[in-house]
Amino acid sequence: MRKALSDVDVAANLAAVAARIAEAARAAGRSPESVIPVAVSKAQPLARVRAALEAGHRTFGENRVQEATAKWPPLKAAFADLELHLVGPLQTNKVGDAVALFDVIETVDRPKLARALAAEMTRTGRRLTCYVQVNTGEEPQKSGVLPGDADAFIAACREEYGLPVAGLMCLPPMDEEPALHFALLAEIARRHGLPLLSMGMSADFETAVRFGATHVRIGTEIFGARPAR
Ligand SMILES: *Cc1c(COP(=O)(O)O)cnc(C)c1O
């Protein structure tokens, strides 16, 4: 394959992020391998994505189904061991496309969506790993189930809708100390015996690792600033 020319040194950024994750994990008494960086490639030029693939990275996140459907099928064909996470809101009319393309849905947050996902997984036989998104900051403009509704919703997903929920995800308010939100998410996961925690982004992933993140969603620190869409 022709080596992808990227304006950003994606391979060096990936190595730097891995080193910072390892350092944060060791400081928290965790193994570095217990934390996986999800490279969030939304709105990034394809050359930067290819550079990450050529550097050996295989776990990616996208926040829009339509953009991901246009971008990823040829890359999935070329790299069989890719793991693609949906980290943005999912509308029920896009559930078919999402289940066909993604491996992990991180943003399950309402009964109608949980039911539609479970039905599509049954229909296609594709069982995706699901996370329930919790709106830990109770922000009206943000997706996610409210913390007070999380216990009942998680139980309903697993017992009533038959959805394979394995973890929780959150996106804390921009202007608040993220540690409180990470601690809350970890506590809800612990109550339900959920092993996976997707929390932490470029600005705060080391804090998230300290609070038990198994997946940190990193865009700009890996790919550089996102060009305007
Ligand atoms: C864009 C995005 C990220 C990555 O953000 P950076 O600050 O660029 O690391 C993480 N999570 C979600 C849900 C996103 O939409």
Side-chain angles (χ1 to χ4, degrees), residues 16-32 205-206 209:
V17 163
R20 286 170 62 188
I21 288 174
E23 176 67 31
R26 273 192 290 271
R30 304 180 55 197
S31 90
F205 68 89
E206 283 137 319
V209 168

Short mmCIF file of all heavy atoms in Angstrom, two decimals, residues 16-32 205-206 209:
data_model
loop_
_atom_site.label_atom_id
_atom_site.label_comp_id
_atom_site.label_asym_id
_atom_site.label_seq_id
_atom_site.Cartn_x
_atom_site.Cartn_y
_atom_site.Cartn_z
N ALA A 16 2.42 9.01 21.60
CA ALA A 16 2.43 9.91 22.76
C ALA A 16 1.20 9.66 23.64
O ALA A 16 1.29 9.63 24.87
CB ALA A 16 2.46 11.37 22.29
N VAL A 17 0.05 9.47 23.00
CA VAL A 17 -1.18 9.19 23.75
C VAL A 17 -1.04 7.86 24.49
O VAL A 17 -1.40 7.75 25.67
CB VAL A 17 -2.41 9.19 22.81
CG1 VAL A 17 -3.61 8.52 23.46
CG2 VAL A 17 -2.76 10.63 22.40
N ALA A 18 -0.50 6.85 23.82
CA ALA A 18 -0.33 5.54 24.47
C ALA A 18 0.58 5.66 25.69
O ALA A 18 0.32 5.04 26.73
CB ALA A 18 0.25 4.54 23.46
N ALA A 19 1.64 6.46 25.57
CA ALA A 19 2.57 6.63 26.70
C ALA A 19 1.88 7.33 27.87
O ALA A 19 2.07 6.96 29.03
CB ALA A 19 3.80 7.42 26.24
N ARG A 20 1.04 8.34 27.54
CA ARG A 20 0.33 9.06 28.62
C ARG A 20 -0.70 8.15 29.28
O ARG A 20 -0.90 8.21 30.49
CB ARG A 20 -0.30 10.33 28.05
CG ARG A 20 0.72 11.42 27.76
CD ARG A 20 0.13 12.57 26.98
NE ARG A 20 -0.94 13.24 27.72
CZ ARG A 20 -1.72 14.18 27.19
NH1 ARG A 20 -1.53 14.57 25.93
NH2 ARG A 20 -2.67 14.74 27.91
N ILE A 21 -1.38 7.32 28.49
CA ILE A 21 -2.34 6.37 29.06
C ILE A 21 -1.62 5.39 29.98
O ILE A 21 -2.06 5.11 31.10
CB ILE A 21 -3.09 5.60 27.94
CG1 ILE A 21 -4.08 6.54 27.24
CG2 ILE A 21 -3.81 4.37 28.50
CD1 ILE A 21 -4.75 5.91 26.02
N ALA A 22 -0.47 4.89 29.51
CA ALA A 22 0.28 3.91 30.31
C ALA A 22 0.73 4.51 31.63
O ALA A 22 0.62 3.88 32.69
CB ALA A 22 1.49 3.42 29.50
N GLU A 23 1.20 5.75 31.56
CA GLU A 23 1.66 6.44 32.77
C GLU A 23 0.49 6.64 33.76
O GLU A 23 0.61 6.37 34.95
CB GLU A 23 2.26 7.79 32.34
CG GLU A 23 2.72 8.69 33.47
CD GLU A 23 3.91 8.12 34.23
OE1 GLU A 23 4.71 7.42 33.60
OE2 GLU A 23 3.99 8.36 35.45
N ALA A 24 -0.65 7.09 33.24
CA ALA A 24 -1.82 7.31 34.10
C ALA A 24 -2.32 5.99 34.68
O ALA A 24 -2.73 5.92 35.84
CB ALA A 24 -2.94 8.00 33.30
N ALA A 25 -2.27 4.93 33.88
CA ALA A 25 -2.73 3.62 34.35
C ALA A 25 -1.81 3.13 35.47
O ALA A 25 -2.29 2.70 36.53
CB ALA A 25 -2.75 2.62 33.20
N ARG A 26 -0.51 3.20 35.23
CA ARG A 26 0.42 2.74 36.26
C ARG A 26 0.26 3.53 37.56
O ARG A 26 0.25 2.96 38.64
CB ARG A 26 1.87 2.83 35.76
CG ARG A 26 2.30 1.59 34.99
CD ARG A 26 3.81 1.58 34.75
NE ARG A 26 4.18 2.61 33.79
CZ ARG A 26 4.23 2.40 32.47
NH1 ARG A 26 3.96 1.21 31.97
NH2 ARG A 26 4.57 3.38 31.65
N ALA A 27 0.06 4.84 37.44
CA ALA A 27 -0.12 5.69 38.64
C ALA A 27 -1.37 5.28 39.41
O ALA A 27 -1.47 5.48 40.61
CB ALA A 27 -0.19 7.16 38.23
N ALA A 28 -2.35 4.70 38.69
CA ALA A 28 -3.60 4.29 39.33
C ALA A 28 -3.57 2.80 39.71
O ALA A 28 -4.59 2.24 40.12
CB ALA A 28 -4.78 4.56 38.39
N GLY A 29 -2.41 2.17 39.55
CA GLY A 29 -2.29 0.76 39.87
C GLY A 29 -3.01 -0.14 38.89
O GLY A 29 -3.44 -1.24 39.24
N ARG A 30 -3.16 0.34 37.66
CA ARG A 30 -3.84 -0.46 36.63
C ARG A 30 -2.84 -0.85 35.55
O ARG A 30 -1.81 -0.19 35.38
CB ARG A 30 -4.97 0.36 35.98
CG ARG A 30 -5.99 0.89 36.98
CD ARG A 30 -7.06 1.70 36.27
NE ARG A 30 -7.70 0.90 35.22
CZ ARG A 30 -8.43 1.43 34.25
NH1 ARG A 30 -8.63 2.71 34.17
NH2 ARG A 30 -8.97 0.64 33.34
N SER A 31 -3.17 -1.89 34.78
CA SER A 31 -2.27 -2.26 33.70
C SER A 31 -2.58 -1.36 32.49
O SER A 31 -3.74 -1.05 32.21
CB SER A 31 -2.44 -3.73 33.33
OG SER A 31 -3.43 -3.87 32.34
N PRO A 32 -1.53 -0.92 31.77
CA PRO A 32 -1.73 -0.05 30.61
C PRO A 32 -2.66 -0.69 29.57
O PRO A 32 -3.39 0.01 28.88
CB PRO A 32 -0.32 0.13 30.05
CG PRO A 32 0.58 -0.08 31.23
CD PRO A 32 -0.10 -1.10 32.09
N PHE A 205 -8.37 12.75 29.56
CA PHE A 205 -8.36 11.28 29.56
C PHE A 205 -7.54 10.68 30.70
O PHE A 205 -7.85 9.60 31.19
CB PHE A 205 -7.95 10.71 28.19
CG PHE A 205 -6.54 10.93 27.76
CD1 PHE A 205 -5.54 10.03 28.10
CD2 PHE A 205 -6.21 12.03 26.97
CE1 PHE A 205 -4.24 10.22 27.67
CE2 PHE A 205 -4.90 12.22 26.55
CZ PHE A 205 -3.91 11.32 26.90
N GLU A 206 -6.52 11.42 31.15
CA GLU A 206 -5.72 10.87 32.26
C GLU A 206 -6.55 10.79 33.55
O GLU A 206 -6.45 9.83 34.31
CB GLU A 206 -4.45 11.69 32.45
CG GLU A 206 -3.42 11.33 31.37
CD GLU A 206 -2.70 12.50 30.76
OE1 GLU A 206 -3.36 13.53 30.50
OE2 GLU A 206 -1.48 12.39 30.53
N VAL A 209 -8.80 7.80 33.27
CA VAL A 209 -8.09 6.54 33.54
C VAL A 209 -8.00 6.32 35.05
O VAL A 209 -8.20 5.21 35.54
CB VAL A 209 -6.68 6.56 32.89
CG1 VAL A 209 -5.82 5.40 33.40
CG2 VAL A 209 -6.79 6.52 31.37
#
